[in-house]
Amino acid sequence: FHKDGFLVLEQFFSSEECDSMRSQIQKIVAEMEVPPHCRTEFSTREKEQLQAQGSSDYFLTSGDKIRFFFEKGVLDEKGNFLIPKEKSVSKIGHALHAHDPVFKQITHSPKVQELGRKLGLERPVVVQSMYIFKQPGIGGEVTPHQDATFLHTEPLGRILGFWIALEDATQDNGCLWFIPGSHTNGISRRMVRAASGASTCVEFVGSEPAYDDKQFIPLPISKGGLILIHGEVVHKSELNSSESSRHVFTFHVMEAKGTTWSKENWLQPTPELPFPSLYT
């Protein structure tokens, strides 16, 4: 983990645990109510990101709620679904770990806590969680990025992602790709809250360098596997053009000891939901 910036732990969660998360998310989607004006298409391309999430309070205030974001091209100009809604969701975020009993139990499970202790985390807190669908045929690419671009701390190196495969993640359906060792060079871009009165509510400072595709290695992983992701390692995933989805539950943890969470981050703890301790 320290050398490469990531670590693959196969069979970390049981098949039953994965299935419990999938069936729980089916219930959440079945009950999903999103007013048309709040339906935003999720993108990781900078211009589209600023237009969609950047102009949307629905995104900006999702840190302590369970909210829904959609794939590109699934909504008409009025915000109506062009395909069945359960096939249109890109991700659900950002506080499943706090508000849903199944995801809360997984996030704070004894084996996750034990892993945190093995990594030397003294005061880890959970900052956000997401369920990512990577829908068959339309699951969008995630462009090369570092998580610390969006979750900035002083000093750096205090953010850790837990990425759980709820189905086999393959090169065909959009597994993660990493540049090994790329977590040692700091960050070159940040997404920050825009000044009040700006046309978007977030903006980017700096720019993402052009990465050489040859530097990336794929990390296929079986259902139940866990990938630990250093906050500054460069990673991406391709478009899912296959006929099978690639469901994932992922959450981010911050070592709170001696760490300052940037007030410019889009995501902020709230009085209703301060960042909960990973250790319970």
Side-chain angles (χ1 to χ4, degrees):
F1 176 73
H2 293 303
K3 175 171 138 296
D4 291 334
F6 59 86
L7 184 68
V8 178
L9 297 168
E10 289 282 9
Q11 298 176 324
F12 193 82
F13 288 95
S14 68
S15 196
E16 292 74 29
E17 287 170 314
C18 294
D19 293 344
S20 73
M21 287 186 265
R22 291 199 59 187
S23 61
Q24 186 69 0
I25 216 73
Q26 278 179 325
K27 288 183 201 149
I28 290 171
V29 171
E31 293 163 10
M32 164 175 81
E33 288 297 333
V34 184
H37 69 278
C38 291
R39 293 175 189 163
T40 58
E41 296 183 347
F42 183 73
S43 171
T44 60
R45 292 195 172 277
E46 190 166 307
K47 281 189 180 151
E48 292 172 359
Q49 218 168 24
L50 291 176
Q51 282 164 353
Q53 290 100 268
S55 58
S56 167
D57 271 349
Y58 184 79
F59 168 75
L60 206 60
T61 56
S62 64
D64 60 355
K65 302 176 186 71
I66 296 177
R67 292 226 162 133
F68 304 88
F69 304 90
F70 300 95
E71 290 290 358
K72 279 199 295 199
V74 301
L75 303 169
D76 67 15
E77 60 277 5
K78 295 197 178 96
N80 300 311
F81 291 108
L82 298 168
I83 62 173
K85 67 178 185 180
E86 64 276 6
K87 295 252 190 314
S88 66
V89 188
S90 166
K91 68 171 198 169
I92 298 176
H94 288 90
L96 285 161
H97 63 280
H99 297 312
D100 183 273
V102 172
F103 292 100
K104 187 174 192 174
Q105 187 178 4
I106 291 288
T107 304
H108 296 278
S109 61
K111 52 193 165 192
V112 168
Q113 297 187 25
E114 184 193 358
L115 188 54
R117 292 192 171 95
K118 282 183 175 167
L119 288 162
L121 300 177
E122 293 184 56
R123 274 182 44 217
V125 295
V126 186
V127 297
Q128 70 159 5
S129 57
M130 293 182 285
Y131 191 104
I132 303 168
F133 292 80
K134 203 78 159 176
Q135 299 280 7
I138 60 168
E141 68 166 334
V142 176
T143 53
H145 68 284
Q146 300 164 290
D147 293 343
T149 285
F150 308 96
L151 309 171
H152 190 266
T153 60
E154 299 276 345
L156 284 171
R158 302 302 173 88
I159 291 291
L160 175 65
F162 290 73
W163 192 95
I164 305 159
L166 305 185
E167 305 178 273
D168 293 350
T170 66
Q171 286 195 47
D172 289 331
N173 72 358
C175 71
L176 294 180
W177 294 66
F178 287 83
I179 300 181
S182 56
H183 61 302
T184 57
N185 304 322
I187 59 170
S188 57
R189 185 175 72 130
R190 286 184 60 193
M191 186 170 97
V192 298
R193 286 180 173 242
S196 58
S199 60
T200 59
C201 52
V202 292
E203 60 192 12
F204 284 97
V205 179
S207 59
E208 202 68 49
Y211 297 107
D212 178 357
D213 271 351
K214 294 193 206 63
Q215 291 183 283
F216 285 92
I217 61 161
L219 249 59
I221 188 166
S222 303
K223 175 180 176 176
L226 168 70
I227 302 179
L228 282 176
I229 304 174
H230 188 286
E232 283 106 82
V233 74
V234 177
H235 57 291
K236 66 173 184 173
S237 67
E238 306 290 348
L239 176 79
N240 179 8
S241 51
S242 79
E243 291 174 13
S244 54
S245 56
R246 191 221 66 187
H247 286 211
V248 164
F249 177 58
T250 179
F251 57 92
H252 284 91
V253 164
M254 173 181 74
E255 170 59 91
K257 186 180 180 187
T259 308
T260 307
W261 180 257
S262 173
K263 293 223 172 352
E264 294 183 314
N265 285 338
W266 76 267
L267 174 81
Q268 294 295 327
T270 62
E272 296 75 32
L273 182 61
F275 294 151
S277 170
L278 181 68
Y279 302 150
T280 48

